[in-house]
Structures are given as C-alpha cells and as structure tokens.
Amino acid sequence: MIREGESDVEVSVVVPTLDRPERSAAVVRAVLEGSESPLEVIVVDQGKGAETERALAALADGRVLHLRRGPPSTSAARNAGAERARGAYVAFLDDDVAVPPTWLADVGGELRRLGFPDALFGEVRGPAGFVPDRTTVPVSLFRPEGPRIWDGPVHPNRVGYAANFACRRDVFLALGGFDPRLGPGSRFPGAEDMDFVYRLLRAGYRVGSTPRFSIVHEQWREPEDLPRLYRGYNVGGAAFCAKHLRTGDLRAGLFLLEQVGGDAKMLASALRRRSGLRARVALARTAGTWSGLAGGLRSLGGGSPPDPGRPRRSRPAGGS
C-alpha cells in the first residue's frame, strides 16, 4: 500500500501476455516478492492454451488473478485488466521485462514526491552491458528527462511508454483506456501508448515522468525480426498522427514530421556505421510511416474512445 495523506492507496498491477508463460510468471513473481505488496496482480492471458494459467497457478498466491481474453490485442487486454482492478491506481507492466525488488515501492515514492499525479511514467532500461552497435538496434527503451510534471501537450515519446507506468483507475476509465484500434494485435500495431499519453495531456490531466522507478526491457528479439517490428511501430505512430489530424489537431502534423525525420536519421546512422541491419530497419520504418499514414487517414476517426476534454485535477503548487 502507498500512503496518500492520511489514507492508504492500494495498487493493482496489470500484465497483458500472449503465449509467454515463463516470462509472464517471472514478472508476476518479481512483483509479488518485492519490498512493497500490490493489492493484486491481474494477468490478462490472450493465448489459446493453458500454459500461462498453469505457470501462474504454480506461484500459489491468492493475489494473482488470471483473466482470459481474446482475440489478441494489447490495448484491449490492458483495458480489461483495468476494468477488473480494485486498486485506486493501476500499474502496468509488459510480460518481457525484469522487475527489481523495489519497483512498486519506488512507484509509490515517486507518486508521493510528485503530489500523486493522475499518471506517472518510469524508466525502461536495457540489460546491463547492452550497447547498440552495427549489429544491434535497441527496442523500446526510455530514459525520462527528469522527475517532472508536464505542462500541456508535448510529443508523447518524451513522456513515457506503457511498459512501465501507473495511472489512477478512475482517470484511466474516464479517458476510455487505450484505443484498441492501435497497438499489437491491431491493424496499426504500435503507438497505443503515444495516443493514450497524448489524450491524457490534451485533456489536462496531471502527468509525470521520472527515472526513479525503472524496469529492464529484455532485448530478446533476433536481428532478423527487427525490421518487421519497427515497421509495425511506425505504422502505429503514423496512424496515431492521422487519427488526430482528422480532428483538425495540427500538432499531430508536427509529430508526423518528427517521425519522418527519425526515419531519415536512422538511415543516415546506417550509412555512417555501415550497418546493413540499421539500413533494413530504416527502410522498414519509412515504409511503415507512409503505410500507417495512408491507412489511418482512411479509417481512423478521432472521436473513439471518448476524450473527456476537461481536467479532472488541478496541478499542485510547485509543479514543473
């Protein structure tokens, strides 16, 4: 439990997973054995078999709830977990991360320090000794700029990723959760967290970032898998931009230009390093950007899920 003023704040942890029984069970075990106890850990299982359920049952802990949901959709799985949760805050983890023993205690400490914001995003680090080079490209790492509360909409990639964050449950539900049209399992398999962060900021909620609670994202993918993965990320990123452009939000056009610039920088890096892998990733990213933009402009409207449009909480004095 986390102390907010004179009362305890209970935290539910949600872990979506798809056919990774050993990895998901390891994440759950690390949370349960941590120095701070969660109210519950909800594992949203999108697989067809019973392997994940058996792996969780072997933990023999009543705080673990196995929730089956299909078809596969990371966004819908997170939403289902949050709807089932009982805690005032819902903390989200992916199923391919390493969680330190102090993770939940660190989440609580930063929530207190920053005045209990509506959402708070932490650091996503690479494994010890991991250094990107000609033959490796990092996947989904995030280093926050510093402990802060964001003032107004910024590029969501500056704020944080869904692999490691906590959100007030009532705020999450009021915002409509993640847009299931974005993210793994959808036609646009990325940027569901970018969209969620941007809607939080645009609606005026208090959103923070901090490097003071972190997890490690295992870099387990093979190099040959990375071009396809990054193409999907950029399909989602451009579709996110298209979704908001269709509402007349011109700021999304600036986000799109930044993504195009990132594609060009990746190609320049590939040429400078003489890296065939980086060149393939850069070309896949570029193809994904334009495919996602075209598809998003055709099929994504901005009105779903609903955006409340108004702040629910005021910023505390001294927020930065």
Side-chain angles (χ1 to χ4, degrees):
M1 295 184 182
I2 298 168
R3 299 289 296 181
E4 180 180 14
E6 297 302 318
S7 62
D8 290 325
V9 176
E10 294 181 312
V11 178
S12 299
V13 179
V14 171
V15 182
T17 189
L18 175 61
D19 296 330
R20 294 175 184 168
E22 294 181 0
R23 290 182 183 272
S24 58
V27 171
V28 173
R29 183 182 301 108
V31 173
L32 296 175
E33 295 176 352
S35 58
E36 187 81 35
S37 180
L39 172 64
E40 59 195 352
V41 182
I42 303 171
V43 179
V44 187
D45 180 6
Q46 305 164 84
K48 293 183 178 179
E51 291 83 359
T52 297
E53 186 173 8
R54 285 196 293 266
L56 296 174
L59 298 176
D61 194 303
R63 291 170 293 175
V64 179
L65 172 64
H66 175 262
L67 181 62
R68 189 173 292 281
R69 194 210 168 277
S73 165
T74 299
S75 292
R78 292 192 184 113
N79 294 348
E83 289 169 3
R84 188 68 176 269
R86 296 179 290 129
Y89 274 91
V90 181
F92 295 86
L93 291 168
D94 281 357
D95 66 356
D96 59 351
V97 302
V99 183
T102 62
W103 171 74
L104 192 54
D106 293 338
V107 171
E110 286 302 280
L111 286 172
R112 284 191 297 271
R113 182 179 179 277
L114 294 174
F116 287 90
D118 297 306
L120 182 61
F121 292 80
E123 182 181 17
V124 183
R125 298 185 286 111
F130 175 76
V131 179
D133 57 21
R134 293 179 64 251
T135 61
T136 59
V137 177
V139 175
S140 298
L141 305 183
F142 173 68
R143 174 69 178 177
E145 297 175 15
R148 65 175 298 172
I149 298 293
W150 294 92
D151 287 317
V154 297
H155 195 298
N157 279 349
R158 295 177 61 190
V159 179
Y161 294 165
N164 184 26
F165 87 107
C167 188
R168 290 187 184 270
R169 180 176 179 271
D170 60 348
V171 167
F172 185 91
L173 298 179
L175 197 65
F178 290 94
D179 187 338
R181 299 172 299 175
L182 299 171
S186 75
R187 176 185 174 187
F188 304 105
E192 78 286 356
D193 44 6
M194 291 173 61
D195 178 69
F196 182 74
V197 170
Y198 186 54
R199 288 187 286 119
L200 278 167
L201 293 169
R202 196 177 63 181
Y205 288 109
R206 292 189 63 244
V207 181
S209 301
T210 179
R212 293 176 177 166
F213 72 89
S214 66
I215 49 96
V216 173
H217 186 228
E218 305 290 359
Q219 303 295 298
W220 54 270
R221 291 177 174 84
E222 296 296 329
E224 57 267 25
D225 298 329
L226 297 180
R228 181 174 179 271
L229 179 72
Y230 270 89
R231 185 184 190 280
Y233 286 163
N234 274 30
V235 166
F240 150 72
C241 295
K243 169 185 171 178
H244 292 279
L245 280 170
R246 287 188 58 180
T247 70
D249 185 348
L250 297 182
R251 191 183 289 110
L254 299 178
F255 299 161
L256 178 64
L257 290 176
E258 187 167 331
Q259 180 167 317
V260 171
D263 297 343
K265 288 179 181 178
M266 172 65 85
L267 184 57
S269 170
L271 296 174
R272 185 172 63 253
R273 298 183 185 218
R274 299 181 181 180
S275 169
L277 173 62
R278 285 177 176 265
R280 292 192 298 275
V281 169
L283 293 174
R285 281 179 48 149
T286 301
T289 293
W290 298 112
S291 173
L293 179 64
L297 288 174
R298 284 194 302 268
S299 63
L300 289 183
S304 177
D307 186 330
R310 298 298 301 171
R312 293 303 195 270
R313 300 180 184 272
S314 60
R315 293 182 177 85
S320 61

